[in-house]
């Protein structure tokens, strides 16, 4: 996917000015938060300890990353022994080349896809189309986006959270040329019927992988709609595209992470379908693919191993950080400009695509730590964002006026007398701005600050003045 | 250098891999695989059947409890009649031997096709913690039967209801042999919440799931 994160400011402003989007975001934001909270309360009521689960998961992920090379080899050996073919891809282009090659080898004309963020990273749909292979997204949300001119998803688990029922109804009427439906169940049935025929005549299924199990060489897939099962049961060929960080050692480890992932993502206790898939169709079996390929993808991940950003590789793609982010809740996912939005996207995009291409993303957060508090694998997202900000400064990537302002501030702050004088004037200036009010409506020196909020007026004197008065 | 070598070499460099610690690390890995440490999880419920029932119903799965296998076909027939569904079903070949005809059900043991409306399966086991059926794919137990039809009826023995996913893995290992191609954990009818976060039952898989628990088996 072409990165557009450099336009973050303009895109965020456009999102704020878009009444339809604002309405849709308001409808959705409380739902995710409430569902997760209820699921965790239920878990406690059953005698479970969610915090202990988070600790165990973070530790588990770290332990795997410590020996990631060996676990990957272990997975590769087990998967190969089960009859699968394991391929490796350094970047998005290589993913596309592998998938197109596989498709050609097996004379594939149509591929049904279950949600895969890696396929978004690679722009796989465009590559398949260019090679004359028809890709069909089958997750309802992803399907809606595909028929809307390949619009990018705005959320990693709820790709059309930014769209309203009306918008979907219009799109279905236009694309399917059927009478307009106005109820969500009717629209869902219409999509089911359209997509069923694709499932039945597709030659290839492409899926992501929630986890890879090293001991058995299996992939675990979690879906609610059942499209993940269709894509991996009906077509002759199944291709799994997934990141190298997704490997876990045992099925017990998988169970631990599933308890956490599902509650954090959708607030369910369990998703409708969890499948553990190992190898190809057995000789006497009625269904299942005859060929199974794994494409293990780097695309920036290997460089994070053992780096100061390694924590990010623990991510299990639940979406809780964006669901709880005040910035995401307000501007939606598209403004972030690449595959991953919200706090995890603001960390991943600069790391995978280059800090200079996503200059505003580390700043696209208030560092309120809502994300850190809910992250099931305890990724310190605000801390990582702060580190990225440091990197920007080190690399001179911040705008010149900001650099000069900070240099000036540092100079003043290291001269106590001058600093005291500055704050003496500052407080009086702010009080003068506030007048009789206790808040400032337009901040004279930085009017942008007060565009969407007021600035509280100071109490009257500086701390130094009060301290000096007390001592007397 | 192939991409495989390139990626693995970089990961090796990053983790500081050298000859000496490889053997050590492999030893740790073996120990991990053998220990099978479980994560923290809720304690086992006293009455697994009651818990399974409560959790299943919360997922919109309907539950029927019968005393023995011989009454299952009539229990299925009753369910189909209640829902005004035709008594024609595709089912696991494994279940062909039961007397479906006596209950008026036209049962075909095979993999499912698009036109099939009712799919009847057994279950390898079931999970009380979440109201989940565990289905293994295989020659006699094709995965499509629980997937393509609009209605899925599953039969499970009460003695096969276990607490959590971990117990299901234990049963699977106890059974021996290679893992089946697919271990499917099915929890209620398929659903989607993609449009306005509103849950709708019946996305790509079944609209309804009915579980018959056999207590005497
Ligand atoms: S960073 Fe944490 S909260 Fe965000 S998607 Fe990843 S695992 Fe979930």
């Amino acid at each position: 996917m072409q990165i557009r994160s450099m336009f973050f400011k303009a895109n965020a402003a456009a999102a704020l000015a878009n009444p339809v989007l604002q309405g849709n975001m308001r409808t959705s934001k409380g739902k995710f938060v409430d569902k997760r909270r209820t699921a965790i309360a239920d878990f406690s009521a059953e005698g479970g300890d969610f915090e202990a689960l988070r600790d165990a998961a973070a530790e588990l992920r770290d332990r795997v990353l410590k020996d990631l090379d060996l676990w990957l080899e272990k997975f590769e050996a087990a998967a190969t022994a089960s009859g699968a073919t394991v391929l490796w891809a350094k970047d998005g282009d290589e993913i596309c080349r592998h998938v197109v090659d596989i498709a050609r080898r097996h004379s594939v004309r149509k591929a049904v896809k279950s949600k895969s963020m890696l396929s978004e990273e690679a722009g796989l749909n465009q590559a398949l189309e260019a090679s004359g292979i028809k890709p069909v997204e089958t997750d309802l949300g992803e399907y809606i986006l595909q028929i809307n001119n390949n619009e990018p998803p705005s959320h990693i688990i709820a790709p059309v959270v930014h769209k309203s029922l009306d918008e979907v109804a219009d799109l279905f009427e236009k694309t399917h040329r059927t009478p307009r439906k106005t109820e969500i169940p009717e629209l869902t049935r219409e999509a089911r019927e359209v997509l069923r025929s694709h499932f039945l005549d597709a030659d290839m299924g492409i899926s992501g992988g929630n986890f890879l199990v090293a001991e058995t060489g299996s992939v675990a897939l979690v879906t609610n709609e059942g499209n993940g099962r269709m894509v991996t049961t009906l077509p002759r060929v199944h291709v799994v595209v997934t990141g190298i960080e997704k490997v876990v050692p045992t099925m017990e480890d998988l169970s631990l992470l599933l308890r956490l992932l599902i509650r954090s993502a959708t607030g369910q206790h369990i998703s409708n379908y969890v499948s553990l898939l190992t190898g190809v169709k057995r000789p006497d079996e009625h269904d299942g693919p005859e060929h199974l390929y794994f494409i293990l993808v780097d695309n920036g991940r290997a460089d994070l191993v053992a780096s100061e950003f390694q924590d990010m590789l623990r991510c299990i793609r639940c979406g809780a950080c964006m669901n709880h982010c005040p910035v995401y809740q307000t501007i939606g996912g598209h403004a972030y400009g690449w595959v991953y939005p919200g706090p995890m996207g603001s960390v991943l995009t600069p790391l995978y695509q280059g800090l200079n291409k996503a200059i505003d993303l580390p700043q696209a957060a208030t560092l309120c730590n809502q994300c850190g508090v809910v992250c099931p694998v305890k990724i310190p997202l605000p801390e990582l964002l702060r580190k990225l900000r440091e990197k920007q400064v080190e690399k001179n990537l911040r705008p010149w006026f900001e650099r000069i302002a900070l240099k000036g501030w540092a100079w003043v702050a290291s001269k106590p007398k001058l600093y005291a004088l500055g704050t003496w004037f500052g407080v009086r200036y702010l009080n003068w701005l506030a007048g009789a009010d206790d808040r400032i409506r337009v901040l004279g020196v930085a009017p942008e600050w007060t565009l969407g909020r007021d600035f509280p007026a100071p109490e009257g004197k500086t701390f130094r003045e009060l301290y000096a008065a007390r001592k007397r | 250098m192939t991409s495989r070598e390139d990626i693995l070499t970089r990961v090796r460099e990053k983790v500081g891999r050298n000859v000496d610690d490889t053997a050590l690390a492999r030893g740790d890995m073996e120990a991990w695989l053998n220990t099978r440490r479980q994560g923290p999880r809720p304690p086992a419920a006293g009455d697994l059947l009651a818990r399974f029932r409560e959790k299943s119903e919360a997922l919109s799965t309907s539950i029927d409890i019968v005393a023995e296998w011989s009454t299952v076909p009539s229990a299925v027939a009753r369910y189909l009649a209640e829902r005004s569904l035709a008594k024609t079903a595709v089912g696991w070949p494994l279940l062909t031997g039961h007397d479906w005809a006596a209950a008026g059900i036209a049962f075909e043991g095979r993999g499912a096709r698009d036109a099939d409306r009712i799919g009847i399966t057994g279950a390898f086991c079931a999970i009380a913690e979440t109201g989940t059926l565990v289905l293994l794919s295989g020659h006699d137990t094709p995965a499509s039967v629980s997937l393509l039809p609009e209605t899925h009826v599953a039969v499970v023995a009460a003695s096969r209801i276990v607490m959590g996913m971990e117990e299901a893995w234990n049963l699977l290992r106890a059974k021996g042999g290679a893992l089946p191609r697919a271990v499917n954990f099915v929890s209620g009818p398929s659903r989607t919440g993609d449009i306005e976060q509103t849950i709708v039952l019946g996305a790509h898989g079944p609209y309804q799931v009915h579980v018959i628990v056999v207590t005497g088996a």
Side-chain angles (χ1 to χ4, degrees), chain A residues 28 31-32 35 43 46-47 52-53 56 59-60 63-71 73-74 76 88-90 94 138-141 158 160-161 164-165 168 184-185 188-189 192 195-196 199-200 215-216 218 224-225 227 229-230 232 249-253 255-256 258-259 268-282 284-289 298 302-303 305-306, chain B residues 1-4 6-8 10-12 14-15 17 21-22 25-26 28-30 32-33 36-43 51 55 59 110-114 129-130 132 135 137-139 142-150 164-166 169-170 172-173 178-207:
Chain A
S28 71
K31 294 190 186 173
F32 280 121
K35 283 182 186 169
F43 190 67
E46 288 165 14
L53 202 55
E59 194 212 315
L60 159 67
R63 275 182 67 195
V64 173
L65 290 170
K66 189 170 73 60
D67 294 319
L68 184 63
D69 53 335
L70 300 177
W71 285 116
E73 287 172 8
K74 175 98 197 158
E76 183 185 40
W88 302 71
K90 271 189 285 197
E94 200 171 0
T138 65
D139 171 87
L140 177 57
V160 287
V161 60
S164 67
L165 166 60
V168 177
I184 297 175
T188 306
R189 183 172 264 280
R192 172 188 171 106
L195 289 168
R196 184 56 79 96
F199 286 127
L200 294 167
E215 65 169 335
T216 52
S218 321
N224 278 317
E225 297 182 3
N227 60 321
R229 284 193 63 196
M230 293 279 185
T232 60
T250 66
M251 298 191 280
E252 279 71 11
D253 298 327
S255 306
L256 185 168
L258 288 173
R259 278 194 188 90
Q268 292 168 287
H269 297 185
I270 183 79
S271 298
N272 283 81
Y273 300 107
V274 175
S275 301
L276 186 78
L277 304 168
T278 316
V280 295
K281 173 178 176 171
R282 310 293 186 251
D284 56 354
E285 218 176 330
H286 168 266
D287 35 40
D298 169 11
D303 290 337
V305 175
Chain B
M1 191 163 21
T2 63
S3 294
R4 176 186 187 279
D6 177 78
I7 295 169
L8 282 175
R10 272 183 297 130
V11 175
R12 279 182 205 124
K14 289 279 184 176
V15 301
R17 180 75 54 221
D21 73 355
T22 306
R26 282 199 207 282
D28 283 354
M29 287 167 64
E30 273 318 300
W32 186 339
L33 294 176
R36 312 202 151 277
R37 194 167 66 169
Q38 297 180 0
R41 55 181 177 135
R51 174 72 164 270
K55 286 292 189 171
L59 293 166
R110 55 171 168 79
R113 303 184 196 118
D114 185 39
E129 185 187 339
T130 46
T132 301
L135 311 177
S137 70
H139 169 64
S144 51
V145 179
S146 61
L147 183 61
L148 293 177
E150 290 183 358
M165 206 178 249
E166 286 82 348
W169 300 133
N170 286 341
L172 200 54
R173 275 187 290 262
L179 272 181
R181 182 189 64 77
V183 182
N184 285 309
F185 295 85
V186 175
S187 310
S190 72
R191 66 192 66 202
T192 177
D194 272 352
I195 304 177
E196 296 194 344
Q197 273 53 57
T198 303
I199 302 295
V200 178
L201 294 187
H204 295 302
Y207 282 80

Side-chain angles (χ1 to χ4, degrees), chain A residues 201-280:
Chain A
D201 69 2
D203 316 285
M204 180 194 253
I206 301 173
S207 74
N210 292 86
F211 297 103
L212 301 171
V213 181
E215 65 169 335
T216 52
S218 321
V219 59
L221 275 186
V222 181
T223 72
N224 278 317
E225 297 182 3
N227 60 321
R229 284 193 63 196
M230 293 279 185
V231 161
T232 60
T233 307
L234 301 177
R236 293 183 277 125
V237 185
H238 174 202
V239 182
V240 182
V241 187
T242 194
I244 52 171
E245 84 281 21
K246 290 297 183 76
V247 61
V248 299
T250 66
M251 298 191 280
E252 279 71 11
D253 298 327
L254 171 69
S255 306
L256 185 168
L257 290 170
L258 288 173
R259 278 194 188 90
L260 207 53
L261 167 67
I262 294 165
R263 287 179 176 84
S264 302
T266 53
Q268 292 168 287
H269 297 185
I270 183 79
S271 298
N272 283 81
Y273 300 107
V274 175
S275 301
L276 186 78
L277 304 168
T278 316
V280 295

Side-chain angles (χ1 to χ4, degrees), chain A residues 51-325:
Chain A
E51 280 312 299
L53 202 55
R54 287 176 76 215
D55 285 330
E59 194 212 315
L60 159 67
R61 300 287 282 158
D62 280 343
R63 275 182 67 195
V64 173
L65 290 170
K66 189 170 73 60
D67 294 319
L68 184 63
D69 53 335
L70 300 177
W71 285 116
L72 283 168
E73 287 172 8
K74 175 98 197 158
F75 170 81
E76 183 185 40
T80 309
S82 77
T85 305
V86 179
L87 304 167
W88 302 71
K90 271 189 285 197
D91 53 27
D93 287 345
E94 200 171 0
I95 300 177
C96 295
R97 277 202 304 280
H98 278 316
V99 178
V100 169
D101 278 355
I102 297 167
R104 293 231 168 93
R105 187 171 323 141
H106 298 290
S107 318
V108 168
R109 283 166 323 229
K110 184 192 282 183
V112 278
K113 297 179 65 204
S114 149
K115 233 168 94 57
S116 152
M117 299 313 289
L118 264 303
S119 133
E120 300 285 342
E121 285 185 39
L124 181 57
N125 286 359
Q126 289 79 347
L128 285 171
E129 267 163 22
S131 306
I133 300 147
K134 185 181 164 69
V136 181
E137 295 287 354
T138 65
D139 171 87
L140 177 57
E142 295 282 348
Y143 173 71
I144 291 168
L145 294 174
Q146 190 182 22
I147 61 175
N148 193 29
N149 256 326
N150 281 314
E151 184 185 345
S154 72
H155 188 288
I156 59 172
I157 61 156
V160 287
V161 60
H162 60 286
K163 281 210 183 318
S164 67
L165 166 60
D166 266 351
E167 291 172 276
V168 177
D170 290 345
L171 203 55
F172 275 26
E173 184 183 10
K174 193 177 89 197
T175 314
H176 300 154
R177 298 176 195 285
T178 48
R180 195 170 193 281
K181 313 276 187 302
T182 50
E183 302 291 327
I184 297 175
E186 293 174 316
L187 289 165
T188 306
R189 183 172 264 280
E190 185 166 307
R192 172 188 171 106
E193 280 159 13
V194 170
L195 289 168
R196 184 56 79 96
S197 61
H198 289 302
F199 286 127
L200 294 167
D201 69 2
D203 316 285
M204 180 194 253
I206 301 173
S207 74
N210 292 86
F211 297 103
L212 301 171
V213 181
E215 65 169 335
T216 52
S218 321
V219 59
L221 275 186
V222 181
T223 72
N224 278 317
E225 297 182 3
N227 60 321
R229 284 193 63 196
M230 293 279 185
V231 161
T232 60
T233 307
L234 301 177
R236 293 183 277 125
V237 185
H238 174 202
V239 182
V240 182
V241 187
T242 194
I244 52 171
E245 84 281 21
K246 290 297 183 76
V247 61
V248 299
T250 66
M251 298 191 280
E252 279 71 11
D253 298 327
L254 171 69
S255 306
L256 185 168
L257 290 170
L258 288 173
R259 278 194 188 90
L260 207 53
L261 167 67
I262 294 165
R263 287 179 176 84
S264 302
T266 53
Q268 292 168 287
H269 297 185
I270 183 79
S271 298
N272 283 81
Y273 300 107
V274 175
S275 301
L276 186 78
L277 304 168
T278 316
V280 295
K281 173 178 176 171
R282 310 293 186 251
D284 56 354
E285 218 176 330
H286 168 266
D287 35 40
E290 291 152 30
H291 308 276
L292 171 63
Y293 294 88
F294 286 96
I295 303 179
L296 305 183
V297 184
D298 169 11
N299 212 23
R301 288 158 177 80
D303 290 337
L304 300 190
V305 175
S307 78
E308 58 187 315
F309 295 103
Q310 170 172 301
D311 289 345
M312 202 56 225
L313 291 177
R314 291 205 297 265
C315 177
I316 55 176
R317 304 287 190 267
C318 72
C321 54
M322 56 201 76
N323 294 339
H324 291 76
C325 174

